[in-house]
Amino acid sequence: EELKIFFEKLSKYIGRGVKELIQRPDAPHCFRLHRDRVYYVGDSQVKVAAALPREQLMSMGCVFGKFTKTKKFKLHITCLDYVAQHAQHKVWIKASAEQSFLYGNHVLKAGLGRITEDTPQYQGVVVLSMADVPLGFGICAKSTAECRKLDPQSIVVLHQADIGEYLRDEDSLC
Amino acid sequence: DEDEDEDEDKDEVEGDGDDDDNFDEDEDERDGEEDDELDFEQKARETVARMAAEARENQEEMKEQEASFTLPTEEQLRQEQAITPDISNLKQRIKDVAEVLGDFSSKREEGRGRGEYIEQLRSDLGSCYGYNAELLEMLFQLFSPAEVIQFIEANETPRPVTIRTNTLKTRRRELAQALIARNVSLDPIAKWSKEGLQIYESAVPIGATPEYLAGHYMVQSASSFLPVLALSPQPGQRVLDMAASPGGKTSHMAAMMSNRGTLVANDFNKERIRALQGNLSRLGVRCSVILNADGREFPKLMGGFDRVLLDAPCTGLGVISKDPSIKAEKSFQDIQRCQQLQKELLLSAIDSCQANSPGGGIIVYSTCSITVEENEAVVDYALNSRSVKLVDSNLEFGVEGFTRYRSKRFHTSLRLARRFYPHVHNMDGFFVAKLRKTNNSLPSGPASSGLASSGTDVSTPVPHDSLKGKKKKNMGKLAKPAAACTAKVPPQSTAHKKALKQGRPR
């Protein structure tokens, strides 16, 4: 049940990549639900964590996100490394728009550098800087074709999560 | 004139033995020239003599001035206490007293003993820099008076800001280039670290650059690199970090393990777990399991680790430059309380470790304090209670650990532990000791009776025979802890002599 919700949300960003995350050739990993949060852990760590008492276990491996009280899944910035690796649609933003995005604002057309071809509207994307450093994720507000016709002040990517949250929003991550 | 010429001739004859033959012949010719030269020389000689006399007078004056430093009388002290202290005055007096103590026999004032000078120095240091009396007493037991002053002055200024490159995500060179592009002036720390960078100045806050947010580096002090370098966990091992927050050392270990293996990061404080979680996620550590438990529960919760790092909670006397409130607050009681906790944690750490694992069985104990009670005393206690021995930490610099301190005598191997001081190494005060576990069972005999008297919760001592029955790799080493106890007295005398040679502080 929750698994379905989680995979649906995740595949919005990385599509088929979900399969690759589970069936890794080097070391088997799996997703584990613990206290409303989803963790992505390798097998050896899962064995260790399974032996530890539930109240004292705080985290394992990489946190992907958490389920809200109404059972919706929110993807956290902490899984950015994995998502950026397998993402199908990416958006590159200019250096001038970087700071603004890191403060939690949406990306405007003026800050848009590149965008992968054929991105449908409302597609989950990974936002990168021009130097290919992942900055966060977002939702594409307009498809690629429409983006070309926009005026500079309209929003192209809706902000979902960015690495500035490590400083702004530490508490919600744990 | 004639007398002059004769004298000058004599001088020249004495000076140049070789020219004797030519002299008599050319005497008449040379006379004219010699007059001019000799006048000039004579004036030069006079000036030199005058300068020498002046220098002598100056020295005598200075000596008089030095000798004139006297300790303030009781009345002067009472007057001083009535008004607010004059810092520059106090500092001058501190310097004077230190000078006198440095050359006591010649510079002392008649009728005043060494103790009085030290008393004066202590009260001046206390009022000038804000240290409480107990702390000063402890510092004077640890260092010589001149070193105490150096230590205290070093604590007034902050240590340089240092960062560690996160090798899981980037290389030091690339990070340095990226930061230089943001107007940060930096340099590699030293030869012993391939990942450290020292920040001189920075236009942007170093804890908020996009590289920081992307997890390319971690801000941590240089001394925090040391226990992890000593432990050097290998990929694929099972490692425990008993007091992990905020995660600088934990992430360093994960980087050394290349994210392979299992790293259990534990911390007792729930609020700091958030910081730990945040840092580990930011730095891309994937092999970790975070736990919120009391470190003393450890072998029960989980055991069999290859390596254990215990960066124990301490009074923090080595990091006064970061937290000046420590100067006024800490007392002997705090040290005793910390010591009790540290002993229990270290025993738990040792028990959680697997002795016979390949290349493993290593525990590193470190604190950011410089007191002997929290460092050598705790390690010595562990050496007596468990089958562990100290090994070389491979840290090439640092002061050796003490094998004796006041009336206490520690195990000779404590020389292998390392101490770091702010005024010597320009890092936070630190202590690192690397222990290797030789056997999974407890040592029997006099060692365990020592355990019972200290009141720790330990099962009854294992009889010697049953241990012989079990197959252990390091059987030969079993006798060592017991022998070390009884044989303690004779080897210490040679260690004592060695320590004297090395000039241990009084």
Side-chain angles (χ1 to χ4, degrees):
Chain A
E1 188 38 72
E2 278 135 350
L3 204 64
K4 239 201 295 177
I5 304 177
F6 168 61
F7 279 133
E8 265 177 32
K9 186 72 189 255
L10 197 57
S11 43
K12 269 202 203 149
Y13 289 90
I14 62 180
R16 302 261 173 72
V18 181
K19 228 191 203 173
E20 286 172 27
L21 279 180
I22 302 186
Q23 292 164 353
R24 279 165 63 137
D26 52 346
H29 280 62
C30 57
F31 288 100
R32 278 251 168 286
L33 178 65
H34 172 68
R35 284 200 212 172
D36 283 344
R37 286 198 155 93
V38 177
Y39 301 94
Y40 180 62
V41 250
D43 254 1
S44 48
Q45 286 110 38
V46 165
K47 284 191 201 130
V48 166
L52 295 168
R54 266 198 81 240
E55 291 90 51
Q56 294 175 326
L57 183 63
M58 299 303 287
S59 169
M60 3 171 207
C62 180
V63 187
F64 258 60
K66 74 174 203 182
F67 281 101
T68 61
K69 296 230 169 75
T70 54
K71 293 296 176 195
K72 297 212 181 78
F73 186 75
K74 179 175 192 305
L75 205 62
H76 277 171
I77 191 62
T78 46
C79 63
L80 183 61
D81 292 332
Y82 290 109
V83 171
Q85 255 182 339
H86 301 285
Q88 294 169 324
H89 299 281
K90 304 184 190 173
V91 171
W92 285 261
I93 58 174
K94 298 182 192 156
S96 49
E98 237 180 72
Q99 283 291 13
S100 161
F101 182 67
L102 290 182
Y103 274 101
N105 299 319
H106 303 300
V107 180
L108 305 177
K109 172 77 171 33
L112 185 66
R114 276 162 60 194
I115 184 167
T116 45
E117 279 301 321
D118 287 341
T119 314
Q121 203 178 19
Y122 303 131
Q123 167 71 30
V125 291
V126 171
V127 177
L128 305 154
S129 75
M130 289 317 272
D132 273 340
V133 174
L135 297 173
F137 351 109
I139 301 241
C140 222
K142 310 274 180 196
S143 65
T144 315
E146 286 176 12
C147 276
R148 295 203 189 100
K149 302 178 213 158
L150 285 174
D151 62 309
Q153 294 309 313
S154 48
I155 298 177
V156 288
V157 177
L158 297 161
H159 168 280
Q160 294 257 290
D162 70 272
I163 51 182
E165 279 173 22
Y166 283 119
L167 286 180
R168 296 196 316 266
D169 221 5
E170 248 184 359
D171 297 339
S172 72
L173 293 177
C174 185
Chain B
D1 264 348
E2 282 181 355
D3 289 337
E4 252 190 79
D5 283 338
E6 280 174 18
D7 286 340
E8 281 148 17
D9 283 345
K10 274 194 207 146
D11 286 339
E12 301 221 41
V13 165
E14 286 164 6
D16 309 310
D18 291 333
D19 290 342
D20 255 302
D21 298 327
N22 298 328
F23 229 75
D24 300 333
E25 292 170 351
D26 297 341
E27 212 180 272
D28 297 329
E29 291 171 22
R30 281 205 189 174
D31 263 351
E33 296 168 7
E34 280 166 358
D35 271 344
D36 297 331
E37 282 181 344
L38 295 173
D39 273 344
F40 176 83
E41 274 189 15
Q42 187 184 31
K43 283 182 192 156
R45 251 181 278 137
E46 281 171 12
T47 330
V48 167
R50 213 184 329 131
M51 281 170 60
E54 274 179 27
R56 250 177 283 132
E57 278 173 29
N58 281 341
Q59 269 194 14
E60 280 169 13
E61 253 189 72
M62 272 177 61
K63 275 194 192 155
E64 279 172 39
Q65 279 180 357
E66 285 167 6
S68 72
F69 170 68
T70 54
L71 285 178
T73 59
E74 279 195 23
E75 239 203 70
Q76 286 176 328
L77 283 173
R78 242 178 288 141
Q79 280 175 357
E80 275 182 19
Q81 278 175 10
I83 56 173
T84 53
D86 177 10
I87 298 286
S88 52
N89 226 6
L90 286 174
K91 285 196 181 169
Q92 182 57 40
R93 200 158 65 196
I94 290 173
K95 240 197 288 181
D96 289 333
V97 173
E99 253 189 77
V100 171
L101 285 173
D103 193 5
F104 200 58
S105 38
S106 62
K107 293 193 185 162
R108 60 179 292 184
E109 197 185 328
E110 288 306 316
R112 298 280 212 156
R114 195 190 180 86
E116 294 189 42
Y117 278 94
I118 293 197
E119 259 309 307
Q120 184 60 44
L121 185 59
R122 259 196 236 176
S123 75
D124 282 344
L125 285 171
S127 38
C128 189
Y129 294 102
Y131 285 75
N132 66 33
E134 284 187 357
L135 200 46
L136 281 173
E137 205 185 308
M138 196 224 63
L139 284 176
F140 272 91
Q141 284 163 2
L142 210 52
F143 299 124
S144 67
E147 242 194 300
V148 173
I149 298 176
Q150 280 179 359
F151 175 78
I152 289 182
E153 282 175 1
N155 279 333
E156 294 298 304
T157 56
R159 301 275 80 72
V161 176
T162 51
I163 62 177
R164 176 181 59 82
T165 323
N166 183 16
T167 48
L168 291 173
K169 290 198 178 185
T170 187
R171 299 262 159 280
R172 178 163 74 169
R173 199 174 298 178
E174 291 167 17
L175 176 64
Q177 283 172 354
L179 283 177
I180 289 175
R182 291 196 192 274
N183 272 329
V184 178
S185 68
L186 46 76
D187 245 349
I189 288 183
K191 275 191 229 146
W192 51 266
S193 166
K194 294 213 174 63
E195 294 136 5
L197 283 170
Q198 187 181 14
I199 308 290
Y200 295 119
E201 358 167 21
S202 158
V204 290
I206 202 72
T209 63
E211 283 77 27
Y212 176 80
L213 295 173
H216 288 186
Y217 63 89
M218 172 80 186
V219 180
Q220 60 181 110
S221 64
S223 39
S224 300
F225 289 52
L226 302 169
V228 181
L229 290 177
L231 187 67
S232 58
Q234 305 300 314
Q237 287 186 336
R238 216 189 205 195
V239 183
L240 170 64
D241 187 347
M242 280 178 94
S245 295
K249 300 186 185 71
T250 321
S251 47
H252 194 179
M253 289 202 284
M256 290 183 91
M257 289 159 65
S258 320
N259 252 334
R260 284 185 285 140
T262 312
L263 180 53
V264 178
N266 175 53
D267 201 87
F268 186 45
N269 190 336
K270 206 162 190 183
E271 281 83 46
R272 296 189 74 195
I273 291 263
R274 279 197 210 119
L276 174 61
Q277 165 82 64
N279 276 322
L280 291 184
S281 321
R282 185 175 57 82
L283 294 163
V285 173
R286 300 174 190 170
C287 56
S288 61
V289 176
I290 301 183
L291 200 55
N292 171 226
D294 188 340
R296 294 172 281 191
E297 292 177 31
F298 251 96
K300 253 194 302 168
L301 275 186
M302 175 171 288
F305 288 97
D306 292 318
R307 308 217 173 182
V308 181
L309 174 67
L310 173 56
D311 183 36
C314 61
T315 52
L317 288 171
V319 288
I320 295 178
S321 52
K322 279 191 198 158
D323 183 11
S325 64
I326 293 179
K327 288 190 276 190
E329 287 174 1
K330 297 295 179 176
S331 63
F332 280 136
Q333 244 191 6
D334 292 317
I335 299 181
Q336 292 298 339
R337 233 181 298 144
C338 281
Q339 187 189 44
Q340 180 60 29
L341 179 61
Q342 286 155 357
K343 282 180 179 168
E344 294 177 20
L345 283 173
L346 184 52
L347 287 189
S348 301
I350 295 174
D351 291 335
S352 318
C353 196
Q354 180 73 10
N356 301 322
S357 66
I362 295 186
I363 304 113
V364 167
Y365 173 76
S366 67
T367 60
C368 54
S369 172
I370 47 160
T371 61
V372 174
E373 287 87 357
E374 293 175 274
N375 297 334
E376 280 90 351
V378 173
V379 177
D380 191 60
Y381 173 77
L383 288 176
N384 291 338
S385 326
R386 292 286 187 277
S387 326
V388 285
K389 61 170 185 166
L390 265 170
V391 291
D392 193 7
S393 53
N394 286 326
L395 298 169
E396 293 132 6
F397 63 110
V399 176
E400 286 182 0
F402 299 158
T403 48
R404 65 181 185 104
Y405 175 69
R406 298 173 71 206
S407 60
K408 300 189 204 148
R409 296 285 175 269
F410 302 128
H411 206 266
T412 48
S413 60
L414 270 160
R415 271 182 307 113
L416 293 170
R418 290 280 177 268
R419 296 176 140 255
F420 301 92
Y421 296 130
H423 58 286
V424 177
H425 305 102
N426 201 15
M427 313 178 148
D428 296 321
F430 221 70
F431 173 82
V432 179
K434 182 173 178 177
L435 300 161
R436 181 189 292 276
K437 192 169 182 181
T438 52
N439 207 309
N440 272 329
S441 45
L442 299 169
S444 60
S448 31
S449 61
L451 262 180
S453 60
S454 61
T456 48
D457 198 15
V458 165
S459 53
T460 53
V462 183
H464 215 73
D465 299 308
S466 67
L467 287 171
K468 279 187 185 160
K470 297 183 191 163
K471 270 193 196 169
K472 293 277 180 208
K473 241 196 233 177
N474 300 311
M475 239 347 251
K477 302 249 176 94
L478 185 64
K480 205 178 183 198
C485 272
T486 50
K488 219 183 195 172
V489 177
Q492 281 295 335
S493 53
T494 50
H496 189 77
K497 285 182 196 156
K498 267 194 207 167
L500 283 175
K501 276 192 203 162
Q502 286 165 5
R504 280 274 167 271
R506 281 153 296 224

